[in-house]
Amino acid sequence: MEFTSYYFASNKNEEDLNKLICDPLFAKIVEYLSEHKEQEVILRQIKAAIPTDSNLELYLDKLIKYNLLERKNRRYSLTFPIYTMDKSIQLPDSITRAFRNITQESSMLNNCFVFGEWLWMLLFEDEQDNYFFGVKASPESQPIFRRREEGNDSLRFVSIYTDSLVPLDLANYFNIHSRRKDLPQNFEVLQNVIGDVDINYFIPQIQKVIRSIKRNKTRVDKQNIFQEALIMTGDLKRNTENQLFLAVPIIDSECACDEIQTILDKLQIELPPLWKTIHNQNQRIFFKQQLYSVLFKNCLPELDHISYFKL
């Protein structure tokens, strides 16, 4: 079974755009216009194909406003591409070997830095202009990864995860709350513990928990809701002696050792030519998503999610 995910950045209200995409009408309209893209589709045909109690014309006008739909001479068509995840891109052996050397010899702290910070920023930091495209995939397709980051100047929570997964972690919890969206069912247990706590209040409380655990590793400890929240998300765990320890890395901008940084400096020269000639932004970002996915799955094949704290 195939499904389509959408990726975008907009200088308009992204929350309104996200609501449009989440409306069940969007998938129906996209499917119909995609199937009839070689034909001239008029409003009457859309209404006949997509019966609804909603105001279809008003919804189509909103899609036109966000440049997702074009109406020309009373004919409707999509303005964005839909790509297919049908094959993996091929990378030079030198690049693949370099990333494998880094991950095979590194700790999870370094792996999080490489894939969560260095590589993600190299690929996507400059891709903040308007873009919009869909990607059609099946459960067997190579996954595409998303990144969430939430926090303040003191501490930030970062989560990298496959598109089909919204892991129970602090980055996603606070991101969903900030967008005032309904929490997925697996987040309800965390919601019951900390509720709608403000992130700027939450962070100092968990910093106290982390400092306390580093000072006192005894088995007996007085548990509070912030410690309980960290245990629920897997950020805190107990060892065989029932002692709590921080299970996720805390990284900073200079956590890579000299040997790894030397490899990264070389990769920073070798990687950009792979997408230099792709001038269409949608195509370029899609290529970069595939590139990231191939490298992640080749180097960390057992993982579909990494999370960490960032100073």
Side-chain angles (χ1 to χ4, degrees):
M1 179 180 178
E2 291 186 328
F3 55 92
T4 303
S5 300
Y6 299 94
Y7 304 87
F8 61 88
S10 174
N11 57 14
K12 298 180 180 179
N13 190 322
E14 287 200 9
E15 284 306 305
D16 288 345
L17 179 55
N18 195 58
K19 290 178 183 177
L20 282 177
I21 297 168
C22 292
D23 191 307
L25 277 176
F26 185 75
K28 295 177 182 178
I29 290 170
V30 170
E31 182 180 8
Y32 180 77
L33 292 178
S34 296
E35 292 176 351
H36 298 81
K37 60 184 177 181
E38 304 300 328
Q39 305 172 23
E40 294 187 338
V41 178
I42 61 176
L43 179 60
R44 184 176 67 250
Q45 293 171 301
I46 298 176
K47 286 184 173 181
I50 308 174
T52 177
D53 294 331
S54 302
N55 189 330
L56 183 60
E57 289 185 61
L58 177 61
Y59 184 75
L60 292 173
D61 286 341
K62 289 180 180 179
L63 294 180
I64 293 171
K65 174 185 175 183
Y66 279 90
N67 197 34
L68 302 181
L69 207 62
E70 182 181 59
R71 180 171 55 215
K72 189 174 182 180
N73 298 326
R74 298 183 180 180
R75 270 58 176 175
Y76 291 81
S77 60
L78 298 175
T79 61
F80 60 89
I82 299 178
Y83 302 117
T84 302
M85 291 286 289
D86 54 0
K87 61 181 179 180
S88 297
I89 61 174
Q90 300 298 316
L91 298 179
D93 289 341
S94 60
I95 291 176
T96 303
R97 283 197 305 270
F99 273 96
R100 283 179 177 167
N101 288 339
I102 291 174
T103 54
Q104 288 175 358
E105 301 298 328
S106 299
S107 64
M108 183 50 69
L109 183 147
N110 277 319
N111 290 342
C112 286
F113 171 76
V114 170
F115 283 96
E117 297 294 315
W118 184 86
L119 180 59
W120 192 276
M121 300 310 160
L122 177 66
L123 294 175
F124 302 113
E125 188 173 31
D126 294 333
E127 302 286 7
Q128 301 301 319
D129 295 334
N130 287 346
Y131 63 86
F132 191 104
F133 59 90
V135 177
K136 185 178 293 185
S138 68
E140 294 75 32
S141 299
Q142 186 86 356
I144 286 180
F145 286 80
R146 292 188 187 266
R147 184 181 187 275
R148 291 283 181 258
E149 179 174 332
E150 296 290 335
N152 59 23
D153 292 340
S154 175
L155 186 67
R156 304 190 69 79
F157 311 122
V158 183
S159 176
I160 310 282
Y161 57 97
T162 59
D163 206 17
S164 60
L165 170 74
V166 182
L168 177 61
D169 57 34
L170 295 173
N172 276 293
Y173 182 79
F174 284 107
N175 178 265
I176 294 170
H177 265 299
S178 68
R179 293 186 289 143
R180 301 185 184 279
K181 292 185 64 178
D182 292 336
L183 285 168
Q185 187 174 0
N186 63 317
F187 281 78
E188 290 179 0
V189 61
L190 186 57
Q191 166 81 21
N192 292 336
V193 173
I194 60 175
D196 297 331
V197 61
D198 181 82
I199 194 169
N200 292 306
Y201 176 75
F202 181 82
I203 286 176
Q205 302 307 313
I206 68 164
Q207 288 175 318
K208 291 178 183 178
V209 171
I210 294 171
R211 287 195 296 268
S212 176
I213 289 171
K214 288 181 177 179
R215 287 196 306 265
N216 179 18
K217 297 184 178 181
T218 58
R219 300 181 188 181
V220 180
D221 53 275
K222 185 178 180 180
Q223 187 162 309
N224 57 42
I225 63 170
F226 303 101
Q227 181 176 307
E228 187 178 350
L230 292 176
I231 292 173
M232 284 182 176
T233 57
D235 297 320
L236 284 183
K237 293 183 179 179
R238 292 187 182 274
N239 60 21
T240 55
E241 298 178 349
N242 203 33
Q243 296 172 336
L244 282 171
F245 67 95
L246 186 65
V248 294
I250 300 180
I251 71 171
D252 58 39
S253 59
E254 299 179 354
C255 71
C257 66
D258 291 343
E259 183 179 356
I260 290 178
Q261 190 60 54
T262 299
I263 298 175
L264 295 180
D265 290 342
K266 184 179 179 183
L267 286 169
Q268 193 163 2
I269 297 173
E270 294 181 348
L271 283 168
L274 297 179
W275 61 78
K276 184 178 180 180
T277 59
I278 307 177
H279 301 296
N280 180 281
Q281 188 178 26
N282 284 328
Q283 291 180 352
R284 186 172 64 249
I285 294 174
F286 179 51
F287 173 85
K288 289 180 176 181
Q289 287 177 330
Q290 295 177 91
L291 171 62
Y292 183 92
S293 177
V294 168
L295 289 171
F296 190 106
K297 297 307 290 184
N298 280 346
C299 297
L300 307 173
E302 304 301 320
L303 300 179
D304 55 12
H305 167 229
I306 58 174
S307 64
Y308 55 93
F309 297 170
K310 183 170 73 168
L311 298 175

